[in-house]
Amino acid sequence: MITLISSSGSLFFSPGPKSQKPLKQRLDCPAGYSQPYEPPTSVHRLRPGDIRVVGAMGDSLTAGNGAFSTLIIDVKRNYRGVSWSGGANGHYLTTFTLPNVLKHFSHHLVGGSTGSGGPETPQSQFNVAKAGALHMAMPRQAHALVNRMRRDPRIDFQNDWKMVTLMIGGNNLCSHVCMRKNFWPHSPHGHATFIKEALDILHANMPRTFVNLVPVVDVSVLMDVKGKNLPCQIADNVLCPCLFGKKRLGKRAMRHMVTGYQNAVIQLVESGRYDTREDFTVVIQPFNVESKLPMVGSQFGMRADPTFMSADCFHLSQRGHSLMAQALWNNMLEPVGHKSWDWRIMGGLRCPTDSNPFFTTRMNPDGRR
């Protein structure tokens, strides 16, 4: 059982540098034992090597906006190949993403994005995330993902195991919750309603699927950011007027709204709505709930490491995407009810073991069944 969330959290950083080094973390997991000869029939006995297809849904944070940007004008570019949940550029040692980790176990994995480009480009593969997307767009993305997978000749849609990661809500929080007119679609209840519709589409149309549902990141932490340059200050007002514009909410009010969004999706999954079949499940991966960037020392004291942020001080750099991917991977192997609620990678990366070989689910909370 996942405990509901209380309102707290803080963050402090300044604009990122002109270059970045890869965030390297070795995955000391044997690949062979988790790639069985026969795939399982139950999603609650799913190992990394069983995953054949990977997909991603969301907004600019999933599309990889600005991940390699050194100028703010370049942040609009989608660097999908390094997206934390959908990118498949290179190898996990240089580009740590969920698809690249899965490739360590499942060498014929398909669906990971490469290079850069929008959601309709061939290299986007099964990353259907779109920059600027609101949670109202999730049903449309769900239909697009199902149709794209069905048409792909590389996969056996009925029998291949699929993993889909969904995170959404930041744009609703940043640009709409401070507007009084037509508030319901952007309320916590509205947030859960549109995500439920998208998950229902996947549930009804996508066999053999494990869905990672990642609660929205706490955008209120951006109010603690200090030392921004002028372009970043301008970006704040454009990208997140509900935090920095004339009708902005206070930090406490925004944190309350974030908590509402997060609790709404937790309650949706905890209802058991998606535990009605042996070949489909949705699991909350809560590493975003208390998200904080790593801290470093500076002449101004401790601050969040700016190398994890893009040129607009809002989106993530490639290192930031790697950090999210590492936290997601660990969440997937941590027991349900005892998962980490932040981005810290304590004690390195987790591995499946002989005693706990499976991704954890509500029906198999320890990964042992």
Side-chain angles (χ1 to χ4, degrees):
M1 190 75 176
I2 297 179
T3 307
L4 298 187
I5 305 156
S6 61
S7 299
S8 64
S10 61
L11 184 64
F12 177 80
F13 62 86
S14 61
K18 296 298 183 182
S19 62
Q20 57 185 274
K21 296 179 180 178
L23 183 64
K24 293 184 178 181
Q25 184 78 271
R26 179 165 290 280
L27 191 71
D28 293 320
C29 306
Y33 76 85
S34 57
Q35 191 166 6
Y37 292 108
E38 293 293 333
T41 58
S42 173
V43 73
H44 309 296
R45 296 179 61 84
L46 195 61
R47 294 178 283 192
D50 296 318
I51 304 299
R52 179 78 172 86
V53 185
V54 65
M57 301 166 57
D59 55 24
S60 58
L61 289 179
T62 299
N65 277 59
F68 283 120
S69 299
T70 57
L71 297 174
I72 199 167
I73 195 172
D74 186 52
V75 173
K76 65 181 180 180
R77 181 175 298 181
N78 298 171
Y79 291 95
R80 290 178 186 268
V82 299
S83 165
W84 60 285
S85 60
N89 275 9
H91 188 273
Y92 82 84
L93 280 175
T94 55
T95 308
F96 197 103
T97 66
L98 177 60
N100 279 348
V101 174
L102 292 174
K103 285 193 296 184
H104 176 72
F105 302 95
S106 180
H107 305 308
H108 301 290
L109 186 79
V110 299
S113 301
T114 57
S116 61
E120 301 301 328
T121 57
Q123 59 268 31
S124 69
Q125 299 285 316
F126 298 147
N127 181 349
V128 297
K130 185 175 181 179
L134 303 171
H135 52 228
M136 296 81 156
M138 290 305 96
R140 185 165 60 252
Q141 287 192 19
H143 279 303
L145 184 60
V146 170
N147 292 335
R148 196 173 293 188
M149 286 187 180
R150 276 180 172 160
R151 294 194 303 263
D152 197 302
R154 298 172 298 173
I155 67 175
D156 181 341
F157 185 75
Q158 293 298 322
N159 296 306
D160 284 343
W161 280 102
K162 310 159 196 70
M163 177 166 284
V164 177
T165 303
L166 189 163
M167 185 183 76
I168 195 68
N171 291 317
N172 298 82
L173 291 166
C174 269
S175 301
H176 294 276
V177 296
C178 56
M179 308 302 175
R180 294 190 176 184
K181 290 184 178 181
N182 198 27
F183 173 72
W184 181 87
H186 307 284
S187 68
H189 183 62
H191 179 65
T193 297
F194 288 105
I195 289 179
K196 176 171 69 68
E197 185 178 342
L199 294 176
D200 286 353
I201 292 166
L202 299 181
H203 185 243
N205 295 282
M206 194 175 285
R208 294 201 168 189
T209 301
F210 185 110
V211 179
N212 294 309
L213 181 54
V214 181
V216 66
V217 68
D218 179 11
V219 298
S220 74
V221 299
L222 294 173
M223 297 187 74
D224 294 331
V225 176
K226 309 298 180 183
K228 291 183 178 180
N229 57 23
L230 181 59
C232 284
Q233 294 176 40
I234 295 172
D236 281 343
N237 285 277
V238 173
L239 296 172
C240 208
C242 287
L243 278 174
F244 302 103
K246 292 182 179 179
K247 296 183 179 181
R248 62 184 177 271
L249 302 179
K251 183 179 180 181
R252 180 176 296 182
M254 179 58 80
R255 176 58 185 166
H256 179 74
M257 190 64 66
V258 170
T259 299
Y261 273 40
Q262 294 170 338
N263 283 337
V265 296
I266 289 173
Q267 290 171 335
L268 171 63
V269 173
E270 289 290 328
S271 73
R273 184 179 183 89
Y274 304 107
D275 292 320
T276 60
R277 299 201 326 251
E278 278 293 307
D279 72 335
F280 187 97
T281 197
V282 179
V283 180
I284 290 286
Q285 310 296 1
F287 68 90
N288 255 354
V289 169
E290 296 179 355
S291 47
K292 298 178 178 67
L293 289 172
M295 304 295 287
V296 295
S298 74
Q299 59 180 325
F300 305 107
M302 294 299 294
R303 65 173 184 174
D305 190 335
T307 66
F308 290 90
M309 303 306 296
S310 184
D312 62 357
C313 311
F314 185 91
H315 291 92
L316 296 172
S317 69
Q318 187 267 320
R319 299 190 86 217
H321 280 274
S322 291
L323 185 63
M324 283 191 70
Q326 290 180 19
L328 171 61
W329 172 253
N330 276 1
N331 259 187
M332 290 162 58
L333 294 171
E334 291 170 338
V336 173
H338 300 280
K339 293 178 181 287
S340 302
W341 282 23
D342 60 36
W343 294 3
R344 291 176 299 172
I345 309 299
M346 304 299 290
L349 295 168
R350 288 179 173 265
C351 290
T353 64
D354 289 336
S355 58
N356 300 77
F358 309 119
F359 292 128
T360 60
T361 69
R362 275 174 31 87
M363 309 303 290
N364 184 15
D366 297 317
R368 296 180 180 179
R369 178 175 138 185

